[in-house]
Amino acid sequence: MNLGVYLTRSARHWPDATALVCRPRSWTYRQLEERANRLAAALLARGLRPGDAVAPLAWNTGELVEIEFALYKAGLMRVPVNARLGRREIAHILRDAPVRVLVFDPAHREDALAALAAAGTDCLPVELADGGAGDDRAPSTAVAAAPGGPSAPDGTAAPDGTAVLPYERLVAEGGTDPVRVETAEDDPCVLNFTSGSTGALKAAVQTFGNRLANMRKQLMNDESRPRPGTRYLACGPITHATGMVLLANVFGGAATHVLPAWSPESFLDTVERERITATFLVPAMLNGVLAHPDLPGRDLSSLASVRIGGAPVSPARLRAAVAAFGPVVAQGYGLGETTSVVAGISGPDLARAVAEDPELLQSCGRAAYDTEIRVVDEQGRELPPREVGEIIVRGPDCVREYWRAPELTAETFRAGWVHTGDLAWMREDGYLFLVDRKKDMIISGGFNIYCTEVESALYEHPAVQEACVVGVPDERWGEAVQAVVVTKDGHTVSGEELSEFCARHLDRFKRPRSVAFVPELPHNRNGKVDRKAVREPYWAGAARRVN
């Protein structure tokens, strides 16, 4: 199999149709096919072999789509790096994968090259131009060196002479003939790195077969199935959940519009100007759009599908979304370990929920197509309706392992089932209702944050005697990081100081949004801090313990 053949086919079917837009530039299907083939051929000519890893590190840009399809064609493994990560975590990914080529934008140049130096791996640094494809300005000169990577004789030189290859020169090295390296269904396709419960990064291994199953699932959805005339707006990072529809979009002949930077105003402007028909929003984005003062006067009538995911959505926000966009709002539930959505609630279902079934507004939907979902007890026995247990799922898009983490793999992937760590109950008609997390994890603005990694940073501060971190409801972000701290005798520190201290030790989005100081923390019978007791007051009166 080779997933790149779907771009080749669409370029034959609709050569002059728009495939990709990232203003002010656009690509036809013919142009996207040509550039993906050139990049794939260039990477293979430089000695990369099927299974080697290539990592993009950039804010949203059209070249990220070129890279994805070039890697499909060449049978290479994509390792998307969260553009918000710090140098330490980038270096960990570069070593762990290990990454052979790192493609970065000018905004990430210093972090990328510093991480390469720290990683000490055999990796070619490739820099995107400020203006992207077709930019005729001279490429920027690197400010730091990456050690020992493959040579780039035509690249710009870092101070020590190490070459940084401009992306456009790499693309120009390849020919335009279609590239098709055969891959097996179980070969790794994408390493999806997220924070682990210990604070260390872990990677779900999404195979080519998983990605193909995800594409099929997207195409089976009558409400949002990509087709010629579909104009999909990618609002969030296309390296992650927002971009999961790219393969299906290309298969169906749709146009993908990439928003370079998120803001509610740019979203509304783009929907109106481009007559966008479909999009995906995380709840924090939805909150910003619904709060925008210009929303009532905007023409959003082109939207036929607005999918919400990445974190739970409150019933009030869902009602407001249906009122703003019409009966085109749908919600989904999935995770990196499942490659795509495993449960979904459709637009008609949500409209019915608003009109006559308010309980349904708390649901994340029913099993999607060929996915199986069970709610089980601690022994793995399926529970009857309305009893709370852990969600386990299986299907062709479900991951089977974590990268180089056999113990964690054995814990999460058992007998063909993914154990999600999410607690829920199922209604008699199959609708799933999330109520809590088995893991000590916060989802804020669509990003996973583990309590223990924030606590570890807090304990580095000399004034902190004991700390407990919990997620609390937040109107804008869904959940926010709340620290509850006991200070050492004779020490004083402000909440602002602790928040900034954590920001220097972690990725900034993981810092506590607020800090409460208490004389002591509650402990359980084993002497451990009772996180549930600390968390409970913040969620008092809530119908569920996720937001």
Side-chain angles (χ1 to χ4, degrees), residues 59 88 175 207 273 287 307 357 416 423 449 456 533:
W59 301 116
R88 182 183 61 182
T207 66
R273 182 184 62 247
N287 294 345
R307 302 192 69 80
D357 189 356
L423 302 179
I449 303 167
S456 294

Side-chain angles (χ1 to χ4, degrees), residues 116-148:
L116 278 168
T121 56
D122 181 29
C123 185
L124 171 66
V126 176
E127 186 175 10
L128 296 166
D130 284 292
D135 190 290
D136 57 3
R137 287 171 291 177
S140 303
T141 300
V143 298

Side-chain angles (χ1 to χ4, degrees), residues 112-196:
L113 293 171
L116 278 168
T121 56
D122 181 29
C123 185
L124 171 66
V126 176
E127 186 175 10
L128 296 166
D130 284 292
D135 190 290
D136 57 3
R137 287 171 291 177
S140 303
T141 300
V143 298
S151 63
D154 296 324
T156 57
D160 73 343
T162 302
V164 178
L165 182 65
Y167 176 80
E168 287 303 314
R169 292 188 186 173
L170 177 62
V171 172
E173 291 178 3
T176 60
D177 291 341
V179 177
R180 177 176 176 161
V181 174
E182 295 300 319
T183 58
E185 187 173 338
D186 292 334
D187 287 344
C189 179
V190 178
L191 294 190
N192 186 47
F193 275 91
T194 60
S195 294

Side-chain angles (χ1 to χ4, degrees), residues 361-374:
L361 289 172
Q362 297 274 4
S363 174
C364 59
R366 291 194 274 203
Y369 307 107
D370 51 1
T371 299
E372 293 181 71
I373 298 178
R374 291 181 184 172

